[in-house]
Structure formats: structure tokens, C-alpha cells
Amino acid sequence: MNDIIISVKNLRKNYGAFEAVKDISFDVLEGEIFGLLGPNGAGKSTTLEIMETLRSKTSGEVMVAGMNLDLEPNHIKKIIGVQLQTSGFYPGLNLLELIELFSGLYNQEVDAMELLQLVNLTEKAKSKYKQLSGGQKQRFSIATTLINQPKIVFLDEPTTGLDPQARRNLWDLIKSIREKGTTVIITTHYMDEAEQLCDRIAIMDEGKIIALASPDKMIDDLVTSGFEKPKPIKSANLEDVFISLTGKEMRAE
Ligand code: ADP
Ligand code: MG
């Protein structure tokens, strides 16, 4: 059994009179990929940003790696990596220069090429951020979350808007981050992605957690309840065709 790395207790967030997060409690275990799923407006980003110390909470208690969010937000910032949804990278700098800039901000020595290697962007080292494709931008922004060698990485919809290939490339990247012992918290709208990647998922709806378990357990529970899916007529789907035609390997894009 892994240790608890994040503990959220009775968390609430109101925006004025609107209750965006309604008394949720959950734990994230060290070394797992934890998914937050739910429709738009469910409160996923709000919950994430509170854990990231970027948004205030209305009430509740959040502990991150043994530190209380209310007492030690600056210590928490040092051990987490946050992927911002709209990355405001200096458009005129190339990737190496951007990594140097970030490592300076974090006061961390990093091997920029090794970091780019990890996200398969060494060929783009001298390219400007604005010249990258969507998938490459996402991979680069994930690379920047790793500069301070965080214990926990937060990814808010990292694969939204990517083509199927680029999504799969990102899955491999996220798995490799976890394999190094980093805890990953991710939000996604793609159920196949959650099933592939996440050890456990919490499903949120209208500010509440309505289910929390491993994907396997959730599926088993549904089947046990008598749910039956119509048998598939074909053993492949159009996405399989797309992947098969365009090649599974990580492309240069
Ligand atoms: P999700 O990420 O699950 O789509 P969010 O956490 O972004 O959901 O938003 C939850 C709810 O809170 C939504 O109804 C959203 O409109 C509202 N909300 C988010 N941010 C603000 C804000 N700064 N001011 C007022 N309402 C907000
Ligand atoms: Mg969101």
C-alpha cells in the first residue's frame, strides 16, 4: 500500500453565491496516476488549482506531501510541477532558451537536451515555441513542469485537441514520468485515456465526487449491476484504422 501524498478533506469552493466545489474529500497515493473526470463545469480545474496553491479555497483542509496548504504554500510550490492550460511562453525564445529561463527561475540546474530528449523534442531544440505543432507544444509544456524535479505533477487536460497519435505519444510520456516515481494528477475528457493511464479515478459532477475507484473496479461494478453493452459487430473501429494507417510510432509531427 502506497503512502498518501495528497489528502483533501471537506474541500469547498464558492465563487460568490455559486458553489463550484461542494465538500469533497479524497486521497492521492504516492506514485499513482490519479484522474479527475467529469463534464465541463464539474469543478475539476478549481480543485486542481487549489491543490496547486494557485486558487484560494472557501473551506476544508488540504495536505500536500505532509505540508498544510494554509501554512506552507511556498514549500508546496517547490515540490510540484504545474502545467498551465494556456502557457504564456515567450514566443521569441527557442526551446533551449526557454528551459534555461525556467531553470533560472527555479534556481535548478538542468540538462536541457536531456529534458527535451525525454519529451522527444531534441530536433526542435532551436525552434521557437510558436513554431511547434499542438502535440509538440503540449509535450514541451509537460517538460517545463519537470524542471524542478517535482514529486507531484498536475496536468489539466493535457491531451485536449490533439490528434490520436499525439495523444498516444503523450500517454507514453505520462507513463514514463510516473515510472520515475512521480505522482501524476490529470484531468481528461477521454475515457479511453483514463482507462489506459489512471490507477484510480474520481468522477466529479456539479462540484461533488460521485465515484472513486480504479477504472477496473468501476467497470466491474457496472457489469455486476447487470449492465450489458451490445456486442461490437467489428473488432476494430475507425480510430484503429487511423492509427494503423498513419503509424503508431512517435512521429516528428
Ligand atoms: P471544470 O474544470 O470541471 O470544467 P471548473 O473548475 O473550471 O470546472 O469550474 C467549475 C464551475 O465554477 C463552473 O461552473 C465555472 O463556470 C465556475 N467558475 C470557475 N472559475 C470561476 C471564477 N473565477 N469565477 C466564477 N465562477 C467560476
Ligand atoms: Mg477545467
Side-chain angles (χ1 to χ4, degrees):
M1 188 68 188
N2 288 1
D3 291 338
I4 292 170
I5 192 156
I6 297 180
S7 152
V8 173
K9 288 205 177 81
N10 305 113
L11 179 66
R12 289 179 183 273
K13 174 66 182 182
N14 301 342
Y15 294 111
F18 178 71
E19 297 180 322
V21 175
K22 300 172 184 161
D23 192 15
I24 63 170
S25 300
F26 62 94
D27 294 327
V28 177
L29 305 179
E30 189 160 17
E32 76 176 338
I33 302 181
F34 185 87
L36 264 183
L37 311 189
N40 282 327
K44 305 179 298 294
S45 295
T46 299
T47 303
L48 231 57
E49 285 166 15
I50 290 170
M51 294 190 280
E52 293 164 355
T53 76
L54 299 177
R55 195 175 283 270
S56 67
K57 57 184 166 59
T58 301
S59 61
E61 190 189 86
V62 179
M63 299 289 294
V64 179
M67 294 177 276
N68 187 316
L69 189 84
D70 294 327
L71 304 178
E72 299 182 85
N74 291 331
H75 282 125
I76 292 174
K77 281 193 184 88
K78 286 192 184 138
I79 58 120
I80 64 173
V82 175
Q83 187 197 16
L84 303 171
Q85 246 174 345
T86 45
S87 317
F89 296 123
Y90 291 94
L93 298 184
N94 71 36
L95 302 191
L96 284 177
E97 291 164 338
L98 281 169
I99 290 175
E100 267 163 34
L101 178 72
F102 273 91
S103 58
L105 293 175
Y106 283 123
N107 206 9
Q108 280 281 335
E109 287 277 326
V110 285
D111 183 333
M113 283 312 277
E114 192 183 302
L115 195 61
L116 289 178
Q117 173 72 45
L118 181 71
V119 296
N120 204 34
L121 282 175
T122 43
E123 283 167 28
K124 298 284 174 185
K126 295 279 171 62
S127 301
K128 291 175 178 158
Y129 177 74
K130 64 182 177 192
Q131 295 166 333
L132 304 181
S133 73
Q136 291 166 344
K137 280 184 176 149
Q138 290 288 44
R139 294 212 299 275
F140 182 71
S141 77
I142 292 178
T144 63
T145 71
L146 302 174
I147 288 173
N148 61 334
Q149 296 178 311
K151 279 191 178 176
I152 309 166
V153 169
F154 293 91
L155 306 172
D156 199 351
E157 295 187 31
T159 64
T160 294
L162 299 185
D163 72 46
Q165 223 102 48
R167 282 178 63 213
R168 278 165 176 70
N169 294 346
L170 224 65
W171 296 355
D172 290 341
L173 172 59
I174 292 166
K175 284 181 188 164
S176 73
I177 292 170
R178 190 265 300 274
E179 268 152 33
K180 295 196 171 74
T182 310
T183 306
V184 179
I185 301 175
I186 181 172
T187 72
T188 177
H189 286 294
Y190 301 105
M191 295 306 128
D192 58 337
E193 183 164 300
E195 202 178 331
Q196 271 275 329
L197 277 182
C198 298
D199 298 297
R200 294 188 311 142
I201 55 182
I203 300 184
M204 283 189 83
D205 193 22
E206 296 182 4
K208 290 187 183 141
I209 291 180
I210 54 173
L212 197 166
S214 69
D216 241 19
K217 168 95 169 52
M218 283 192 186
I219 295 166
D220 287 349
D221 286 352
L222 183 66
V223 171
T224 308
S225 78
F227 179 89
E228 239 183 278
K229 198 174 180 164
K231 291 264 179 297
I233 302 158
K234 298 178 180 175
S235 52
N237 62 23
L238 192 56
E239 179 155 335
D240 299 324
V241 173
F242 180 96
I243 297 288
S244 163
L245 285 175
T246 57
K248 281 199 182 70
E249 298 308 311
M250 207 184 268
R251 296 177 303 167
E253 289 176 59

